[in-house]
């Protein structure tokens, strides 16, 4: 589970961001802060993985808060969501290592892409051993010379995996395990195994969506394609 805090002085905007995050699996909003002082105080007493940070805070700029975070909490990642589009703010944030910079107003799809990309990178670095292939994935490089089938786990057939990915490409709005099973001519558990595998290696994403009767269902998508 990824622990997130929202550092945003407008409580209405913070509530919208929280609603977005609540729709993304494996993410937990553990707090909201209305100022830089509240943000830094919260970090002292809680385990935080990711901060959604605004630039225009009432007591100090988000870039100043970011500088303190980098000096004292180097393990914490930051995504900027702000109305500030001036070059100096954007450059300063990027040089201080933010993972993304989104200009308000943000759409749910852009927000989801940012968080899913963060989850993918976070998962890659959870590995005890890194290699060039994993590092290239982190930075978004694709090297066709890698043998992508050499490390497939038991129960994952390379041809079937490519079929699943092909179906996902033509269904950008997502598909459930049951729907995938029907389209690939396999059982729901088999379809789910392939979809979960793609999610585990960072090539797919999964999030809960609520149907008409309110029953949550996992929807799978390809990412970064």
């Amino acid at each position: 589970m990824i622990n997130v805090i929202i550092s945003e002085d407008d409580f209405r905007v913070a509530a919208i961001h929280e609603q977005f995050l609540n729709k993304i699996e494996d993410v937990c909003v553990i707090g909201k802060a209305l100022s830089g002082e509240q943000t830094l105080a919260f970090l002292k007493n809680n385990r935080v993985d990711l901060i959604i940070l605004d630039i225009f805070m009432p007591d100090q700029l988000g870039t100043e808060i970011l500088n303190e975070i980098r000096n004292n909490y180097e393990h914490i990642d930051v995504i900027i969501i702000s109305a500030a589009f001036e070059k100096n703010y954007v450059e300063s944030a990027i040089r201080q290592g933010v993972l993304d910079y989104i200009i308000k107003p943000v759409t749910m799809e852009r927000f989801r892409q940012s968080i899913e990309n963060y989850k993918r990178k976070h998962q890659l670095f959870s590995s005890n051993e890194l290699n060039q292939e994993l590092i290239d994935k982190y930075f978004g490089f694709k090297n066709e010379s890698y043998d992508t089938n050499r490390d497939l786990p038991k129960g994952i057939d390379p041809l079937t995996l490519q079929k699943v990915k092909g179906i996902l490409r033509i269904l950008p709005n997502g598909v459930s395990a049951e729907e995938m099973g029907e389209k690939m001519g396999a059982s729901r558990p088999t379809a789910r195994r392939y979809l979960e595998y793609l999610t585990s290696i960072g090539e797919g994403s999964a999030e809960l969506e609520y149907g008409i009767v309110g029953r949550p269902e996992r929807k799978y998508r390809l990412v970064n394609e």
Side-chain angles (χ1 to χ4, degrees), residues 137-161:
K137 284 183 177 181
Y138 181 89
F139 286 106
F141 292 102
K142 291 185 178 181
N143 190 330
E144 300 299 331
S145 66
Y146 293 137
D147 180 3
T148 57
N149 296 331
R150 69 178 184 272
D151 295 324
L152 290 178
K154 183 178 180 180
I156 300 295
D157 174 72
L159 294 179
T160 304
L161 183 62

Side-chain angles (χ1 to χ4, degrees), residues 86-113:
E86 291 82 358
K87 181 180 178 181
N88 60 311
Y89 291 133
V90 178
E91 284 187 340
S92 176
I94 291 174
R95 285 178 176 142
Q96 293 185 80
V98 298
L99 294 181
D100 200 355
Y101 195 113
I102 307 175
I103 297 174
K104 295 177 180 176
V106 58
T107 65
M108 173 59 194
E109 181 59 23
R110 180 63 175 85
F111 195 103
R112 184 190 66 80
Q113 290 175 351

Side-chain angles (χ1 to χ4, degrees), residues 89-196:
Y89 291 133
V90 178
E91 284 187 340
S92 176
I94 291 174
R95 285 178 176 142
Q96 293 185 80
V98 298
L99 294 181
D100 200 355
Y101 195 113
I102 307 175
I103 297 174
K104 295 177 180 176
V106 58
T107 65
M108 173 59 194
E109 181 59 23
R110 180 63 175 85
F111 195 103
R112 184 190 66 80
Q113 290 175 351
S114 182
I115 300 301
E116 291 294 349
N117 187 49
Y118 168 72
K119 287 170 58 179
R120 178 182 63 84
K121 291 183 175 182
H122 189 268
Q123 188 174 40
L124 286 173
F125 271 85
S126 66
S127 173
N128 290 327
E129 295 184 7
L130 294 177
N131 54 41
Q132 190 63 56
E133 182 176 357
L134 288 177
I135 294 171
D136 285 353
K137 284 183 177 181
Y138 181 89
F139 286 106
F141 292 102
K142 291 185 178 181
N143 190 330
E144 300 299 331
S145 66
Y146 293 137
D147 180 3
T148 57
N149 296 331
R150 69 178 184 272
D151 295 324
L152 290 178
K154 183 178 180 180
I156 300 295
D157 174 72
L159 294 179
T160 304
L161 183 62
Q162 291 305 313
K163 182 178 181 179
V164 170
K165 292 174 70 173
I167 294 171
L168 287 172
R169 288 190 185 97
I170 63 175
L171 297 171
N173 292 327
V175 62
S176 67
E178 184 175 357
E179 292 167 337
M180 176 59 75
E182 293 175 356
K183 292 184 178 299
M184 63 184 288
S187 66
R188 183 176 182 277
T190 297
R192 183 181 178 86
R193 181 168 69 249
Y194 281 87
L195 292 168
E196 289 291 343

Side-chain angles (χ1 to χ4, degrees), residues 1-5 26-28 30 42-43 46-52 69-70 73-79 99 118 122:
M1 187 64 69
I2 295 172
N3 289 339
V4 182
I5 71 166
D26 299 327
V27 172
C28 179
I30 62 172
F42 190 90
L43 297 182
N46 298 273
R47 186 186 72 79
V48 176
D49 300 305
L50 175 66
I51 300 176
I52 306 298
I69 292 171
R70 284 289 162 262
Y73 307 97
E74 61 180 16
H75 65 284
I76 296 177
D77 293 308
V78 178
I79 292 175
L99 294 181
Y118 168 72
H122 189 268

Side-chain angles (χ1 to χ4, degrees), residues 212-223:
I212 297 176
V213 297
R215 182 178 179 182
E217 183 178 50
R218 284 169 71 87
K219 286 281 190 177
Y220 298 87
R221 298 176 176 84
L222 283 181
V223 297

